[in-house]
Amino acid sequence: MAEFDLHSLRHTASHVLAQAVLRLYPNAKLAIGPAIDTGFYYDFDVDTNFTPEDLEKIEAEMKVIVRERYRLERFELPRAEALALMEEKNQPYKVELIHDLPEDAALSFYKQGEFVDLCAGPHADHTGRVKAFKLLSATGAYWRGDSSRKMLQRIYGTAFESKEELAAHLTMLEEAKKRDHRKLGRELDLFDIYEEGPGFPFFLPRGMVLRNLLEAYWREEHAAAGYQEIRTPIILNEELWHRSGHWDHYKNNMYFTKIDEGDFAVKPMNCPGGMLAFGRRMHSYRDLPQRIAEMGLVHRHELSGALHGLMRVRCFTQDDAHIFMTPEQIQQEIAGVIRLIDRFYKVFGFEYHMELSTRPENSMGTDEQWETATDALRQALSTLGMEYKLNEGDGAFYGPKIDFHLRDCIGRTWQCGTLQLDFQMPERFDLSYVGPDGEKHRPVMIHRVVFGSIERFIAILTEHVAGAYPLWLSPVQIAVLPLTDRHHDYARGVHQTLRDAGFRVELDERNEKIGFKIREAQVQKTPYMLVLGDKEMEAGLVAVRHRRDGDLGAIPVDELIAKLREEVATKAK
RNA sequence: GCUGGUGUAGCUCAAUCGGCAGAGCAGCUGAUUUGUAAUCAGCAGGUUGCUGGUUCGAUUCCGGUCACCAGCUCCA
């Protein structure tokens, strides 16, 4: 009896998909078809592209296969026979896969009815198990993820053990779309992107309030953690980018400009500016580590197809910092950064995962430097007892890195925080400090960001809270809602008192019914609404309504101020 | 950049086979003075993304282009 868990079920669903495609398109070449976190996919090389109507036909054929309840039979073949079988079936991608497997690898196949696929398994015991499934989309995907190779047709689907779970999942996806930061950004007047500036977002007044509050919190925490702040220019001459290595490794993503016949570049990263700032004078070992932060505006020419709301833009602000230190201080500084990032994310209630990325193909530096740097990161992670995923060959061109990934509303993960160890830049910029021996030494450097980019962080945060930001971050914290004209004077007094107490308050004096005013404040996700009528005016109270908890009753303004100050101070979620 | 899809009023969406481009919300004006998620009426709002072609006639069909959406690649 085959194992029967969700992963196996989805994997079997992908085989059923491939079987159905082969029945309808006998010339289709099969690539790979795994189960993934949210379902499954299969990649095909076919003459024509799949349309939504094709998906319906394929789905119908899959249902037939499910009804036919084929047993999944596993068998193994020696390499030569495995190759012969796949060649006979005219499956060149499978042949390539077999060639790339180790000589001594066991080559297992799964057979269901007339369909046979090279596959490690495991699978459900028969195709009848795939009762609750749905094909979701057809898209392009490069063979082996390599953009220089052929683009195949990928069909995505999902499968669950019951129809109820499938329906719940599909409903969840629909609900998640309502939390999309692009939609909320427009609805809540926070930010927007226009056709006139693809990838270049506009922040509107309310979005700026949120952004400024995040930056203020960031400055507070970084000052406390021993960081100093600088600001470096957005445009610097081209020679600098040759020196930093960006010309050789990052030119394709950079914007260039001319000034008085000289060649200049718009910065895609803040490090070279940071290097110049550090290198302007001599440093003593006594002054290290130096933690130099910069809210740096960078521009990168991302591919048009990669742009995505605030998540992926062409100009963004990194909450950057460069830490210059002695080799002995590496461990302590790495740990300090990881703890800082962890504390930040917890304030917002984020779950995250970490990835360690090692040396990429096109990189600077010696093997030894890379080994030392990578070991330092690995060791810091294990000392802190942190779990992480390994990404071979995914580091920056100047050093290995630890990335922190956060989830968006439909489960995609985005890199936000990153910590990169760099032996190259200090070398290239000939940075030094004077040690206790009176000699010059080369400092080691860490690049790091916590938010990653303010834009991406705001996008993730917006989806995380569905636009209902905690009180301390809400662009408008309180809506004052007088019932009629005769309550306006009292409402203005309350409004002024709250403003004087430091809150962001709006007074709604429009000639509308209270239900309408409340609805608008609710739709805008305003945390607190104060309803003011005869009763409140006579008693000198405010009737408090919370966006989530509803009517909280009438209390004196002073009491409300104390309560909200507490909520802001504790950054309550 | 690649594969597929989509562009109609500020927003959400209609418009039969190619035949005068419409609704709700938002906006403006007026009436209404209201007790915890939408008061009523009127007015205004458009070179159907842009551009070329086919046609007596194009939102509709074809080409190009721009932007957006999903995925791939890449990445904060």
Side-chain angles (χ1 to χ4, degrees), chain A residues 296-313:
Chain A
L297 176 64
V298 297
H299 290 73
R300 300 181 182 177
H301 182 72
E302 301 295 344
L303 294 175
S304 59
L307 302 178
H308 183 99
L310 288 190
M311 297 277 193
R312 192 74 184 282
V313 290

Side-chain angles (χ1 to χ4, degrees), chain A residues 272-341:
Chain A
M275 299 306 101
L276 294 182
F278 180 85
R280 64 185 281 273
R281 65 172 180 83
M282 293 290 279
H283 296 277
S284 159
Y285 73 96
R286 297 173 198 275
D287 301 330
L288 301 184
Q290 277 204 34
R291 308 185 186 96
I292 303 180
E294 171 173 18
M295 279 285 177
L297 176 64
V298 297
H299 290 73
R300 300 181 182 177
H301 182 72
E302 301 295 344
L303 294 175
S304 59
L307 302 178
H308 183 99
L310 288 190
M311 297 277 193
R312 192 74 184 282
V313 290
R314 284 178 173 155
C315 92
F316 56 102
T317 301
Q318 292 186 302
D319 62 316
D320 222 335
H322 298 98
I323 305 176
F324 301 91
M325 65 209 145
T326 68
E328 294 72 38
Q329 293 167 330
I330 293 177
Q331 287 300 319
Q332 149 209 327
E333 288 304 309
I334 294 174
V337 171
I338 294 176
R339 282 200 209 95
L340 180 67
I341 293 177

Side-chain angles (χ1 to χ4, degrees), chain A residues 398-418:
Chain A
Y398 44 74
K401 57 179 189 169
I402 297 172
D403 295 328
F404 296 74
H405 293 252
L406 296 174
R407 234 164 237 290
D408 75 5
C409 65
I410 59 172
R412 292 173 294 210
T413 68
W414 297 86
Q415 182 189 325
C416 289
T418 177

